[in-house]
PDB file of all heavy atoms in Angstrom:
ATOM      1  N   ARG A 121      21.879 138.436  76.659  1.00 95.00           N
ATOM      2  CA  ARG A 121      23.225 138.656  76.115  1.00 95.00           C
ATOM      3  C   ARG A 121      23.512 137.677  74.975  1.00 95.00           C
ATOM      4  O   ARG A 121      24.078 138.049  73.937  1.00 95.00           O
ATOM      5  CB  ARG A 121      24.275 138.490  77.216  1.00 95.00           C
ATOM      6  CG  ARG A 121      24.339 139.641  78.204  1.00 95.00           C
ATOM      7  CD  ARG A 121      25.316 139.345  79.341  1.00 95.00           C
ATOM      8  NE  ARG A 121      26.630 138.950  78.837  1.00 95.00           N
ATOM      9  CZ  ARG A 121      27.578 139.783  78.437  1.00 95.00           C
ATOM     10  NH1 ARG A 121      27.349 141.086  78.470  1.00 95.00           N
ATOM     11  NH2 ARG A 121      28.746 139.339  78.007  1.00 95.00           N
ATOM     12  N   ASN A 122      23.113 136.430  75.162  1.00 96.00           N
ATOM     13  CA  ASN A 122      23.347 135.434  74.117  1.00 96.00           C
ATOM     14  C   ASN A 122      22.515 135.721  72.868  1.00 96.00           C
ATOM     15  O   ASN A 122      22.989 135.541  71.742  1.00 96.00           O
ATOM     16  CB  ASN A 122      23.034 134.037  74.647  1.00 96.00           C
ATOM     17  CG  ASN A 122      24.067 133.547  75.643  1.00 96.00           C
ATOM     18  OD1 ASN A 122      25.173 134.091  75.721  1.00 96.00           O
ATOM     19  ND2 ASN A 122      23.734 132.538  76.419  1.00 96.00           N
ATOM     20  N   LEU A 123      21.272 136.154  73.084  1.00 97.00           N
ATOM     21  CA  LEU A 123      20.416 136.532  71.956  1.00 97.00           C
ATOM     22  C   LEU A 123      21.051 137.680  71.178  1.00 97.00           C
ATOM     23  O   LEU A 123      21.127 137.640  69.940  1.00 97.00           O
ATOM     24  CB  LEU A 123      19.034 136.924  72.467  1.00 97.00           C
ATOM     25  CG  LEU A 123      18.053 137.493  71.424  1.00 97.00           C
ATOM     26  CD1 LEU A 123      17.768 136.473  70.329  1.00 97.00           C
ATOM     27  CD2 LEU A 123      16.759 137.941  72.103  1.00 97.00           C
ATOM     28  N   ASP A 124      21.518 138.686  71.888  1.00 96.00           N
ATOM     29  CA  ASP A 124      22.164 139.824  71.246  1.00 96.00           C
ATOM     30  C   ASP A 124      23.405 139.372  70.466  1.00 96.00           C
ATOM     31  O   ASP A 124      23.641 139.830  69.341  1.00 96.00           O
ATOM     32  CB  ASP A 124      22.556 140.866  72.306  1.00 96.00           C
ATOM     33  CG  ASP A 124      23.336 142.024  71.726  1.00 96.00           C
ATOM     34  OD1 ASP A 124      22.723 142.853  71.022  1.00 96.00           O
ATOM     35  OD2 ASP A 124      24.560 142.109  71.984  1.00 96.00           O
ATOM     36  N   GLY A 125      24.169 138.457  71.070  1.00 95.00           N
ATOM     37  CA  GLY A 125      25.381 137.986  70.409  1.00 95.00           C
ATOM     38  C   GLY A 125      25.093 137.207  69.141  1.00 95.00           C
ATOM     39  O   GLY A 125      25.744 137.411  68.110  1.00 95.00           O
ATOM     40  N   ILE A 126      24.107 136.296  69.194  1.00 96.00           N
ATOM     41  CA  ILE A 126      23.760 135.517  68.000  1.00 96.00           C
ATOM     42  C   ILE A 126      23.171 136.419  66.913  1.00 96.00           C
ATOM     43  O   ILE A 126      23.461 136.246  65.718  1.00 96.00           O
ATOM     44  CB  ILE A 126      22.769 134.393  68.364  1.00 96.00           C
ATOM     45  CG1 ILE A 126      23.461 133.337  69.234  1.00 96.00           C
ATOM     46  CG2 ILE A 126      22.213 133.738  67.106  1.00 96.00           C
ATOM     47  CD1 ILE A 126      24.574 132.583  68.542  1.00 96.00           C
ATOM     48  N   GLU A 127      22.351 137.396  67.320  1.00 96.00           N
ATOM     49  CA  GLU A 127      21.808 138.345  66.330  1.00 96.00           C
ATOM     50  C   GLU A 127      22.924 139.089  65.624  1.00 96.00           C
ATOM     51  O   GLU A 127      22.892 139.240  64.386  1.00 96.00           O
ATOM     52  CB  GLU A 127      20.861 139.331  67.023  1.00 96.00           C
ATOM     53  CG  GLU A 127      19.512 138.754  67.409  1.00 96.00           C
ATOM     54  CD  GLU A 127      18.647 139.746  68.139  1.00 96.00           C
ATOM     55  OE1 GLU A 127      19.197 140.716  68.715  1.00 96.00           O
ATOM     56  OE2 GLU A 127      17.414 139.560  68.161  1.00 96.00           O
ATOM     57  N   LYS A 128      23.910 139.545  66.393  1.00 94.00           N
ATOM     58  CA  LYS A 128      25.034 140.271  65.792  1.00 94.00           C
ATOM     59  C   LYS A 128      25.821 139.358  64.859  1.00 94.00           C
ATOM     60  O   LYS A 128      26.233 139.765  63.759  1.00 94.00           O
ATOM     61  CB  LYS A 128      25.944 140.838  66.886  1.00 94.00           C
ATOM     62  CG  LYS A 128      25.412 142.103  67.548  1.00 94.00           C
ATOM     63  CD  LYS A 128      26.403 142.644  68.569  1.00 94.00           C
ATOM     64  CE  LYS A 128      26.030 144.055  69.033  1.00 94.00           C
ATOM     65  NZ  LYS A 128      24.697 144.159  69.608  1.00 94.00           N
ATOM     66  N   TRP A 129      26.048 138.112  65.286  1.00 94.00           N
ATOM     67  CA  TRP A 129      26.813 137.187  64.454  1.00 94.00           C
ATOM     68  C   TRP A 129      26.076 136.911  63.148  1.00 94.00           C
ATOM     69  O   TRP A 129      26.678 136.917  62.062  1.00 94.00           O
ATOM     70  CB  TRP A 129      27.066 135.878  65.201  1.00 94.00           C
ATOM     71  CG  TRP A 129      27.972 134.952  64.455  1.00 94.00           C
ATOM     72  CD1 TRP A 129      29.334 134.870  64.528  1.00 94.00           C
ATOM     73  CD2 TRP A 129      27.568 133.972  63.469  1.00 94.00           C
ATOM     74  NE1 TRP A 129      29.805 133.899  63.660  1.00 94.00           N
ATOM     75  CE2 TRP A 129      28.743 133.344  62.998  1.00 94.00           C
ATOM     76  CE3 TRP A 129      26.337 133.572  62.955  1.00 94.00           C
ATOM     77  CZ2 TRP A 129      28.717 132.337  62.040  1.00 94.00           C
ATOM     78  CZ3 TRP A 129      26.303 132.574  61.984  1.00 94.00           C
ATOM     79  CH2 TRP A 129      27.476 131.970  61.538  1.00 94.00           C
ATOM     80  N   LEU A 130      24.766 136.672  63.214  1.00 95.00           N
ATOM     81  CA  LEU A 130      23.988 136.414  62.003  1.00 95.00           C
ATOM     82  C   LEU A 130      24.022 137.608  61.055  1.00 95.00           C
ATOM     83  O   LEU A 130      24.211 137.452  59.844  1.00 95.00           O
ATOM     84  CB  LEU A 130      22.538 136.079  62.362  1.00 95.00           C
ATOM     85  CG  LEU A 130      22.280 134.728  63.040  1.00 95.00           C
ATOM     86  CD1 LEU A 130      20.802 134.595  63.402  1.00 95.00           C
ATOM     87  CD2 LEU A 130      22.705 133.569  62.155  1.00 95.00           C
ATOM     88  N   THR A 131      23.859 138.809  61.622  1.00 95.00           N
ATOM     89  CA  THR A 131      23.874 140.021  60.792  1.00 95.00           C
ATOM     90  C   THR A 131      25.230 140.207  60.128  1.00 95.00           C
ATOM     91  O   THR A 131      25.316 140.494  58.925  1.00 95.00           O
ATOM     92  CB  THR A 131      23.539 141.252  61.651  1.00 95.00           C
ATOM     93  OG1 THR A 131      22.229 141.106  62.206  1.00 95.00           O
ATOM     94  CG2 THR A 131      23.584 142.525  60.820  1.00 95.00           C
ATOM     95  N   ASN A 132      26.292 140.031  60.914  1.00 93.00           N
ATOM     96  CA  ASN A 132      27.649 140.220  60.371  1.00 93.00           C
ATOM     97  C   ASN A 132      27.993 139.195  59.300  1.00 93.00           C
ATOM     98  O   ASN A 132      28.876 139.429  58.461  1.00 93.00           O
ATOM     99  CB  ASN A 132      28.683 140.150  61.498  1.00 93.00           C
ATOM    100  CG  ASN A 132      28.592 141.329  62.447  1.00 93.00           C
ATOM    101  OD1 ASN A 132      28.045 142.375  62.093  1.00 93.00           O
ATOM    102  ND2 ASN A 132      29.098 141.168  63.650  1.00 93.00           N
ATOM    103  N   ASN A 133      27.309 138.041  59.337  1.00 94.00           N
ATOM    104  CA  ASN A 133      27.586 136.990  58.366  1.00 94.00           C
ATOM    105  C   ASN A 133      26.462 136.823  57.340  1.00 94.00           C
ATOM    106  O   ASN A 133      26.390 135.807  56.653  1.00 94.00           O
ATOM    107  CB  ASN A 133      27.834 135.666  59.100  1.00 94.00           C
ATOM    108  CG  ASN A 133      29.143 135.660  59.869  1.00 94.00           C
ATOM    109  OD1 ASN A 133      30.204 135.383  59.321  1.00 94.00           O
ATOM    110  ND2 ASN A 133      29.075 135.995  61.158  1.00 94.00           N
ATOM    111  N   ASN A 134      25.619 137.857  57.271  1.00 95.00           N
ATOM    112  CA  ASN A 134      24.583 137.942  56.230  1.00 95.00           C
ATOM    113  C   ASN A 134      23.558 136.793  56.293  1.00 95.00           C
ATOM    114  O   ASN A 134      23.168 136.222  55.273  1.00 95.00           O
ATOM    115  CB  ASN A 134      25.235 137.973  54.830  1.00 95.00           C
ATOM    116  CG  ASN A 134      26.153 139.162  54.651  1.00 95.00           C
ATOM    117  OD1 ASN A 134      25.789 140.296  54.979  1.00 95.00           O
ATOM    118  ND2 ASN A 134      27.354 138.919  54.152  1.00 95.00           N
ATOM    119  N   TRP A 135      23.111 136.499  57.529  1.00 96.00           N
ATOM    120  CA  TRP A 135      22.063 135.503  57.714  1.00 96.00           C
ATOM    121  C   TRP A 135      20.844 136.149  58.352  1.00 96.00           C
ATOM    122  O   TRP A 135      20.965 137.098  59.134  1.00 96.00           O
ATOM    123  CB  TRP A 135      22.543 134.355  58.606  1.00 96.00           C
ATOM    124  CG  TRP A 135      23.577 133.482  57.975  1.00 96.00           C
ATOM    125  CD1 TRP A 135      24.913 133.450  58.238  1.00 96.00           C
ATOM    126  CD2 TRP A 135      23.353 132.507  56.947  1.00 96.00           C
ATOM    127  NE1 TRP A 135      25.545 132.527  57.455  1.00 96.00           N
ATOM    128  CE2 TRP A 135      24.604 131.922  56.647  1.00 96.00           C
ATOM    129  CE3 TRP A 135      22.221 132.063  56.258  1.00 96.00           C
ATOM    130  CZ2 TRP A 135      24.757 130.936  55.691  1.00 96.00           C
ATOM    131  CZ3 TRP A 135      22.364 131.079  55.300  1.00 96.00           C
ATOM    132  CH2 TRP A 135      23.620 130.522  55.024  1.00 96.00           C
ATOM    133  N   ASN A 136      19.674 135.616  58.004  1.00 94.00           N
ATOM    134  CA  ASN A 136      18.423 136.122  58.582  1.00 94.00           C
ATOM    135  C   ASN A 136      17.560 134.931  58.958  1.00 94.00           C
ATOM    136  O   ASN A 136      17.039 134.230  58.086  1.00 94.00           O
ATOM    137  CB  ASN A 136      17.706 137.024  57.575  1.00 94.00           C
ATOM    138  CG  ASN A 136      16.445 137.643  58.164  1.00 94.00           C
ATOM    139  OD1 ASN A 136      16.300 137.740  59.388  1.00 94.00           O
ATOM    140  ND2 ASN A 136      15.522 138.038  57.306  1.00 94.00           N
ATOM    141  N   LEU A 137      17.417 134.684  60.250  1.00 96.00           N
ATOM    142  CA  LEU A 137      16.652 133.542  60.746  1.00 96.00           C
ATOM    143  C   LEU A 137      16.071 133.903  62.104  1.00 96.00           C
ATOM    144  O   LEU A 137      16.773 134.486  62.946  1.00 96.00           O
ATOM    145  CB  LEU A 137      17.573 132.318  60.869  1.00 96.00           C
ATOM    146  CG  LEU A 137      16.919 130.954  61.099  1.00 96.00           C
ATOM    147  CD1 LEU A 137      16.033 130.568  59.918  1.00 96.00           C
ATOM    148  CD2 LEU A 137      17.983 129.889  61.321  1.00 96.00           C
TER     149      LEU A 137
END
Side-chain angles (χ1 to χ4, degrees):
R121 286 175 52 82
N122 288 343
L123 174 61
D124 175 72
I126 292 295
E127 286 177 338
K128 282 183 168 57
W129 186 90
L130 290 177
T131 299
N132 292 339
N133 290 276
N134 300 313
W135 291 105
N136 184 22
L137 192 63

